[in-house]
Amino acid sequence: VKRSSVLTPEPRVGQMEVRRDRSQMHMKNVTEGRLVTKEGEDLEFDGDDAIYHYYLKKLATDGRSRIKNADMELTARRFLFDQESHQLKVSGSVTGTLGGGKVEADDLTYNTSNKKASASNVHWKGSLPDVQGQQKNVWDIRGATFESEGDVNTYTDARASDGEVIVVAERVEYNKKTDVLVAKGKVNYWGLDADMKCAEATVYRKERRAVMTGVVRMFLKSDEEKVLKETPI
């Protein structure tokens, strides 16, 4: 049943127990679950074990779980979704898709309304269509921490590579819309033609160029040395 003012579950379940006051629904072996809110959010979920708190408007799962909407699809051991705050919290390791790319992370939070996200121990790999409509890798980025707001993903203690360059820095900001990556703090840059150290590097991937600022140290490679490899600069 859909209601205009409350979060409403619509699952297929192997077993369900409902309290007499309807404050709680305990579901096992959930498939094709849906959460429909008055704001029009439509979340799908599966899980081995799920509890829906009717008056608190919260859904919690345990066991292997999956949750999905138009912007993400995540699989984890457990998650908690709060309709009032639009906040999804995933405990432990999580895999799936988020922000236009594949993601592996720990302890991820995601706001289904404003699309803000944060996590730790992140590995994100994005892709965009090329001119023929085929998929190609854009950036493969790892970071100790991760924050996403709008089109910008921010990583700390990060390593990023697109197959043509490798960038390691204290902070990396990647704009998914412009396809521009900015690395800041103790930047090490490896390319096919040269390796560099600098304070800040901006990589314009579409234009196939990079701008380095601060004190820049550069090692130019001979034709025999033109390979992409992380070596001491």
Side-chain angles (χ1 to χ4, degrees):
V1 178
K2 292 185 179 180
R3 300 172 185 267
S4 61
S5 59
V6 298
L7 190 68
T8 305
E10 297 185 343
R12 295 178 182 272
V13 299
Q15 178 181 332
M16 181 166 67
E17 298 177 357
V18 183
R19 288 188 177 180
R20 290 183 178 180
D21 62 0
R22 296 185 62 196
S23 64
Q24 190 178 104
M25 301 178 186
H26 188 182
M27 299 165 279
K28 293 183 179 295
N29 301 322
V30 185
T31 59
E32 299 180 28
R34 292 180 63 228
L35 302 179
V36 182
T37 73
K38 63 182 179 181
E39 292 83 7
E41 290 180 309
D42 193 345
L43 301 179
E44 300 177 15
F45 70 97
D46 301 323
D48 295 338
D49 193 284
I51 297 178
Y52 175 63
H53 302 273
Y54 186 84
Y55 298 112
L56 296 177
K57 299 179 182 179
K58 293 183 179 180
L59 174 74
T61 70
D62 196 3
R64 184 170 177 81
S65 308
R66 180 187 67 91
I67 190 164
K68 175 183 178 181
N69 67 7
D71 302 302
M72 58 83 184
E73 181 173 358
L74 301 171
T75 299
R77 170 70 182 176
R78 56 178 61 90
F79 68 78
L80 173 67
F81 178 70
D82 186 333
Q83 185 238 356
E84 293 296 325
S85 64
H86 304 273
Q87 197 79 350
L88 173 68
K89 294 185 178 180
V90 183
S91 300
S93 61
V94 56
T95 61
T97 59
L98 178 68
K102 296 180 179 179
V103 65
E104 298 177 8
D106 292 332
D107 301 327
L108 182 143
T109 63
Y110 175 73
N111 189 296
T112 58
S113 178
N114 59 28
K115 309 299 186 292
K116 291 183 179 180
S118 65
S120 60
N121 301 322
V122 174
H123 180 196
W124 183 87
K125 189 173 183 179
S127 61
L128 292 171
D130 64 14
V131 291
Q132 284 78 35
Q134 301 297 317
Q135 294 291 318
K136 62 180 180 181
N137 293 336
V138 179
W139 283 105
D140 187 313
I141 309 176
R142 299 176 185 267
T145 65
F146 159 85
E147 291 184 357
S148 179
E149 183 173 355
D151 294 315
V152 179
N153 289 353
T154 301
Y155 306 80
T156 63
D157 297 330
R159 179 191 185 277
S161 177
D162 67 348
E164 296 182 0
V165 302
I166 300 171
V167 181
V168 174
E170 293 177 335
R171 181 183 177 90
V172 164
E173 299 172 359
Y174 175 59
N175 189 310
K176 295 172 289 184
K177 185 176 182 179
T178 62
D179 202 6
V180 174
L181 182 139
V182 179
K184 301 177 180 180
K186 298 180 180 179
V187 179
N188 287 287
Y189 173 100
W190 291 272
L192 293 174
D193 297 317
D195 298 338
M196 285 169 272
K197 295 174 73 74
C198 59
E200 183 174 324
T202 302
V203 182
Y204 301 90
R205 186 183 179 280
K206 291 180 180 179
E207 302 171 27
R208 301 176 67 86
R209 68 184 180 94
V211 176
M212 280 66 180
T213 58
V215 177
V216 180
R217 297 181 180 181
M218 177 183 293
F219 172 73
L220 293 174
K221 299 180 180 180
S222 65
D223 291 339
E224 294 77 16
E225 296 172 316
K226 289 186 177 182
V227 294
L228 186 62
K229 184 178 180 181
E230 292 182 54
T231 56
I233 303 173

